[in-house]
Amino acid sequence: MPKPVHSADAPKAIGAYSQAMIHGDLLYLSGQIPIHPGTGELVQGDFAAQMQQVLDNLQAVCVAAGTDLRRAVKLQVYLSDMSNFATVNTLMEKFFTPPYPARAALQVAALPRGAAVEIDGIVALAEAGHVAD
């Protein structure tokens, strides 16, 4: 049976979904947008600041599940403007080390709350069958 994951260090879900679900040895992350978990507001600033907040939010959910975002198997990046693609690559290279996770990047018409970026993904658990309480 899948197990939901919740982190107080990531924004609350803004819809009818869980921040993540564990099934087997994998963590399935719901999409995160650049909402600051403390304020519940969209991070202001340039695209890099928004992208960093998304990575921080995803990492917080991973930690709550007993793993690390650097164990990502697959990420999907949704961009409201594909001109930010180079910045995505730069920040991903700073956050991840080779081998990088599999990834797709798509331009979409709009994202919740007017965000510039949203990322979801699949992450391997730190240890098979281990889930942090």
Side-chain angles (χ1 to χ4, degrees), residues 74-78 85 88 101-106 118-120:
K74 170 82 164 120
L75 297 174
Q76 297 186 144
V77 180
Y78 306 92
F85 186 72
V88 168
R103 186 183 84 192
L106 308 158
E118 179 173 359
I119 300 176
D120 66 21

Side-chain angles (χ1 to χ4, degrees), residues 11-119:
K12 294 179 183 177
I14 56 175
Y17 60 90
S18 298
Q19 289 175 333
M21 295 292 287
I22 293 173
H23 186 71
D25 295 336
L26 296 173
L27 175 68
Y28 295 84
L29 294 165
S30 290
Q32 286 285 336
I33 60 175
I35 294 177
H36 188 278
T39 66
E41 298 297 323
L42 196 68
V43 169
Q44 299 302 309
D46 64 5
F47 177 81
Q50 288 198 23
M51 178 75 177
Q52 184 61 55
Q53 186 65 57
V54 169
L55 292 171
D56 292 346
N57 292 346
L58 291 168
Q59 177 66 3
V61 177
C62 287
V63 169
T67 191
D68 188 286
L69 185 57
R70 288 173 179 84
R71 295 178 60 85
V73 176
K74 170 82 164 120
L75 297 174
Q76 297 186 144
V77 180
Y78 306 92
L79 300 166
S80 61
D81 184 347
M82 195 56 84
S83 70
N84 290 315
F85 186 72
T87 304
V88 168
N89 282 329
T90 299
L91 290 171
M92 295 284 264
E93 287 173 355
K94 288 180 181 178
F95 189 86
F96 295 96
T97 57
Y100 299 115
R103 186 183 84 192
L106 308 158
Q107 181 170 328
V108 296
L111 292 167
R113 296 200 181 172
V117 60
E118 179 173 359
I119 300 176

